[in-house]
Amino acid sequence: MAKTTLCIALLAGFLILGSGQVSAQKDTVIVGAFVNSIHDFDFADRSYKIDFWLWLLYENPELEFENSIELKPTKEASLDNPIYDETGGLQWLSLKALATMSIDWDLRRYPFDSQQLHFLIESADADTSTMVFVPDVENTKIDPNFKLSEWNITNVSFTSEVSTYATTYGDQELTGESSYPAVKMTIDLTRKNSWLTLFKLITGVLVAFFISSLVFLIKPSNVDPRFGLCVGGLFAAIGNKYIIEGIVPSTNSVTMLDSVHNLTYVMILVIIIISIISLKLFEKETEKSVKLSQKIDKYSLLIIVTVYVISVSLLIYNGVTGG
């Protein structure tokens, strides 16, 4: 009798444990994406646009995803054209995604910059206690017929993620924080024709500097052309900066192009200061002062141009190498 009672108790225990495991079993959802296009790179708006097909494969027919999938980080997003089907004994939902993604562009090395686009496909309803997202790595890719005119796509990855938030959103069954299953797509880009782009952007500022440096070949007594070239060069450099900011908007960080322009402003200012000193010496009209004025002009031209060329070269080198 005792043995029978013990067996019944053990059986009941196994049944309770088994039922607990079944109730705790999570829904596994296979998530994949096929990117059709990435376009409208907007540095000023800190955004780009992407459209892709999104699919989900899962066993539980009671799950609904049409209104419970979130794309992040986005400014605008839509999931349209839902297609329901079955394949291999699994429920199959396919959606067309169109989104304007938010991104902080890193333009410090522009035009030698590389960018990393990434976005999350996240459950907006079920948390990690009830659901798991598994990336469909084999089928997730970018359309091989799609090409970017200004960028090379160097790498694409698709990984499983967990999005954790420091709130329970009012869920009384959770405390402190909540976590939701997600998958993350990362697309690595490098810019094409960087040297050609750089040449187009800084030609104006380089010409402005070299025009300003020619003042040392003009007699200090010729005040108008001597200082007129410097002022003209300074305005040309400032104008070139405004043109560049129309292409590459100003950011909180100092970019390589900012450094080139700031260096040019400083060097033109130095040229003006030296020109004033040379003029003052020349106006004394003594043999010694005139020779000193000529010597200052001669060596200033050589030193300033050399320093400027080396400094610009170093700035570009750091931009290329990321130093």
Side-chain angles (χ1 to χ4, degrees):
M1 181 66 178
K3 290 182 178 180
T4 303
T5 304
L6 180 60
C7 290
I8 293 173
L10 289 172
L11 180 60
F14 285 130
L15 289 174
I16 292 172
L17 289 173
S19 63
Q21 290 174 350
V22 171
S23 62
Q25 185 175 357
K26 301 179 182 181
D27 289 308
T28 298
V29 181
I30 300 172
V31 183
F34 185 78
V35 177
N36 300 107
S37 174
I38 309 169
H39 51 96
D40 291 356
F41 291 78
D42 192 330
F43 296 133
D45 190 48
R46 297 184 178 183
S47 66
Y48 67 94
K49 294 182 180 180
I50 186 170
D51 65 88
F52 61 95
W53 281 100
L54 167 67
W55 62 87
L56 302 100
L57 297 166
Y58 50 94
E59 290 184 0
N60 189 351
E62 297 181 1
L63 296 178
E64 294 184 1
F65 291 102
E66 188 176 338
N67 297 311
S68 61
I69 290 293
E70 187 175 4
L71 302 179
K72 302 177 73 176
T74 58
K75 292 177 178 285
E76 290 182 45
S78 64
L79 294 170
D80 302 314
N81 303 328
I83 301 172
Y84 291 92
D85 205 342
E86 290 187 18
T87 178
L90 297 174
Q91 306 299 311
W92 181 15
L93 169 60
S94 181
L95 297 162
K96 180 65 173 179
L98 301 172
T100 301
M101 310 301 295
S102 176
I103 182 174
D104 286 326
W105 301 105
D106 185 356
L107 301 175
R108 289 173 296 177
R109 295 172 51 212
Y110 183 93
F112 299 100
D113 55 319
S114 58
Q115 303 293 338
Q116 191 173 76
L117 315 180
H118 62 84
F119 62 90
L120 289 175
I121 302 167
E122 182 181 310
S123 170
D125 184 15
D127 60 24
T128 52
S129 65
T130 60
M131 186 175 293
V132 175
F133 276 7
V134 177
D136 186 355
V137 177
E138 182 180 355
N139 294 299
T140 296
K141 58 189 70 174
I142 296 177
D143 187 346
N145 295 319
F146 170 70
K147 303 294 180 184
L148 286 166
S149 59
E150 297 182 5
W151 300 90
N152 291 312
I153 299 173
T154 57
N155 187 55
V156 179
S157 63
F158 199 55
T159 57
S160 180
E161 297 282 326
V162 173
S163 297
T164 301
Y165 302 94
T167 178
T168 64
Y169 296 100
D171 190 337
Q172 299 302 304
E173 296 181 1
L174 301 175
T175 57
E177 60 184 26
S178 56
S179 299
Y180 296 85
V183 289
K184 180 180 180 180
M185 174 171 276
T186 302
I187 303 170
D188 294 321
L189 304 175
T190 56
R191 193 179 297 276
K192 296 179 180 178
N193 302 318
S194 296
W195 285 103
L196 178 60
T197 302
L198 177 67
F199 178 76
K200 291 179 178 179
L201 292 175
I202 69 171
T203 298
V205 73
L206 294 180
V207 170
F209 168 77
F210 286 113
I211 287 176
S212 299
S213 66
L214 292 177
V215 301
F216 294 117
L217 301 177
I218 301 174
K219 275 188 177 183
S221 57
N222 296 324
V223 176
D224 288 344
R226 180 137 178 167
F227 288 94
L229 282 178
C230 290
V231 174
L234 182 60
F235 277 103
I238 293 173
N240 191 82
K241 183 68 164 62
Y242 277 111
I243 292 172
I244 289 178
E245 287 190 351
I247 303 170
V248 186
S250 180
T251 64
N252 293 329
S253 58
V254 179
T255 68
M256 182 191 71
L257 294 176
D258 288 335
S259 297
V260 171
H261 281 81
N262 292 338
L263 172 67
T264 304
Y265 302 151
V266 170
M267 297 303 285
I268 292 177
L269 176 60
V270 170
I271 291 172
I272 292 174
I273 292 172
I274 294 175
S275 294
I276 293 173
I277 295 172
S278 179
L279 176 62
K280 292 296 184 182
L281 290 170
F282 191 84
E283 286 179 340
K284 289 183 178 181
E285 296 183 351
T286 65
E287 183 179 352
K288 183 178 179 181
S289 64
V290 170
K291 286 184 177 180
L292 181 58
S293 173
Q294 293 172 344
K295 186 178 293 187
I296 287 175
D297 285 349
K298 177 181 177 181
Y299 287 107
S300 294
L301 175 61
L302 178 62
I303 293 171
I304 287 178
V305 170
T306 301
V307 170
Y308 183 79
V309 170
I310 292 174
S311 299
V312 170
S313 300
L314 287 174
L315 289 173
I316 294 174
Y317 175 78
N318 290 334
V320 173
T321 61

